[in-house]
Amino acid sequence: MTGKIRFTGQKYYFFCIYQNFFVPLRKIMTKRTAYHIVEWTIALIGCAFLIYKLVTYDDYASLGESLRAMGVKQWSALLLCLLLMPVNMFLEAWKWRTLIPMSWRDAHYQVYYSKLAGLITPWRLGEYPARGLLMEESEWGKVLSMGAVGSATMTAAIVIAGLGSLGILGLLRHLESLVSGSYYLLVGALLLLLILALIFAPRLLRRWADVSHRLILLSTAQSFVRLACWCVQLALVLYALGAFHLSLFTFHLLPVYYLLVTITPNVPIAEAGVRGAWAIVLFGSVNAALAGVLLWAINTLIPCLVWPFLRKNAK
């Protein structure tokens, strides 16, 4: 025995592969390299999905006709809606750095990147894990915990505002012909669960994050501000496409729209269609459906396209 291991035949073949490929790969495959590979994989899949949505959208003729019919006021409203997109993202970054203290640059970078991950995962479940990917591994528990708090407060704000508008306008009876009565039970049950979850969140999440009721209330207030930005954007794009007339009735339909979109089960591949369908139901115009799709593109498509430029200047 010479002390050396001898390989013959097939074993020697696999040993050569291991020595010449996997050993060098392990030397260069640091954790940071692996994170970058996952990061760009998510980005490429997200971009491919966006291209798919653009190629398969089958109503460009109606959209083009609506855009050609717009006047100066309508184009100005659409431009203002577009300019509110970075405001919308700023509000999300503000909320995110409230939950987890970090620099404004890192908060914006993570928020824009998470749009790509949310786009390709059901119910946008990939957004917060994607943000964790851009942080230290030791922070992942905090990221997911605070992500749960952020999602819960945003959903709570949408449900409270939507139900409040329904109550103010007395629309419950009117909408019963459009959705089943069990839908309202679902919304009420969801709101109750959200409230209970937020009440007990400091105790449930204390192992991973320092959550207080004051932080939850602040996050909820920030969610209401962001929802207000969404409503203004929706009103502007509806007005631009001739599907919105300013009145107390139509004003209170805006949070109802976001309530219906949020509590309607969907996955990202069908999200634009769900938004367009509810826009027709509430605002009674085909152009309203186009407005829903156009606003989805402004607040989802454009941030995804902005991310590579942010990454270039991030570090």
Side-chain angles (χ1 to χ4, degrees):
M1 294 292 291
T2 62
K4 296 183 179 180
I5 299 175
R6 296 181 179 276
F7 295 98
T8 58
Q10 190 175 25
K11 290 183 179 180
Y12 179 75
Y13 173 74
F14 286 111
F15 176 74
C16 289
I17 293 178
Y18 175 80
Q19 285 289 93
N20 293 286
F21 179 73
F22 288 104
V23 172
L25 182 62
R26 287 179 62 186
K27 292 181 179 179
I28 64 173
M29 184 63 75
T30 62
K31 284 187 176 181
R32 179 57 56 184
T33 303
Y35 292 162
H36 284 320
I37 291 174
V38 176
E39 176 186 347
W40 276 104
T41 299
I42 292 174
L44 291 173
I45 293 174
C47 290
F49 176 77
L50 287 175
I51 293 172
Y52 165 79
K53 291 296 294 182
L54 292 173
V55 170
T56 57
Y57 183 67
D58 58 359
D59 207 11
Y60 280 112
S62 298
L63 180 60
E65 184 178 347
S66 298
L67 294 176
R68 285 191 295 270
M70 288 164 50
V72 175
K73 291 182 179 180
Q74 287 73 27
W75 276 108
S76 299
L78 187 59
L79 177 61
L80 181 56
C81 177
L82 185 61
L83 293 176
L84 283 175
M85 183 278 292
V87 175
N88 169 35
M89 299 300 288
F90 169 84
L91 293 174
E92 175 60 14
W94 173 43
K95 177 180 171 181
W96 184 232
R97 73 188 298 268
T98 298
L99 293 171
I100 301 181
M102 65 181 70
S103 67
W104 279 105
R105 184 189 67 175
D106 289 343
H108 276 85
Y109 180 39
Q110 292 183 23
V111 166
Y112 276 88
Y113 175 66
S114 65
K115 279 287 185 180
L116 281 165
L119 187 71
I120 59 175
T121 52
W123 301 284
R124 301 188 178 279
L125 293 177
E127 285 198 12
Y128 292 107
R131 296 181 192 184
L133 185 66
L134 304 180
M135 300 179 69
E136 297 296 329
E137 189 173 347
S138 60
E139 297 287 315
W140 287 0
K142 180 186 292 186
V143 170
L144 294 179
S145 299
M146 290 306 190
V149 172
S151 294
T153 55
M154 189 73 245
T155 303
I158 291 172
V159 172
I160 292 170
L163 288 178
S165 290
L166 286 173
I168 291 171
L169 296 175
L171 289 176
L172 282 173
R173 181 174 300 177
H174 172 67
L175 290 181
E176 281 178 356
S177 61
L178 304 175
V179 294
S180 64
S182 60
Y183 180 84
Y184 301 105
L185 295 176
L186 171 64
V187 174
L190 176 62
L191 180 59
L192 178 61
L193 289 174
L194 285 171
I195 292 174
L196 291 175
L198 291 173
I199 289 175
F200 291 104
R203 180 178 300 178
L204 295 173
L205 301 177
R206 62 185 176 184
R207 177 180 176 183
W208 302 281
D210 183 14
V211 182
S212 66
H213 289 116
R214 180 181 177 277
L215 182 65
I216 291 172
L217 290 175
L218 179 57
S219 178
T220 303
Q222 291 171 324
S223 297
F224 275 111
V225 174
R226 192 178 184 211
L227 176 60
C229 180
W230 289 350
C231 289
V232 171
Q233 283 186 292
L234 178 60
L236 288 169
V237 74
L238 285 168
Y239 171 77
L241 296 179
F244 185 82
H245 302 285
L246 186 60
S247 68
L248 182 64
F249 179 82
T250 52
F251 174 79
H252 281 289
L253 283 178
L254 299 173
V256 173
Y257 167 79
Y258 283 108
L259 170 66
L260 295 173
V261 167
T262 300
I263 311 301
T264 300
N266 70 88
V267 292
I269 196 169
E271 184 176 355
V274 169
R275 290 175 180 270
W278 278 124
I280 290 179
V281 167
L282 290 178
F283 301 101
S285 168
V286 175
N287 280 7
L290 296 175
V293 174
L294 187 57
L295 184 58
W296 175 85
I298 290 173
N299 282 340
T300 302
L301 172 61
I302 296 178
C304 289
L305 298 177
V306 167
W307 174 76
F309 299 98
L310 286 181
R311 187 187 189 284
K312 182 178 180 181
N313 298 318
K315 293 181 181 180

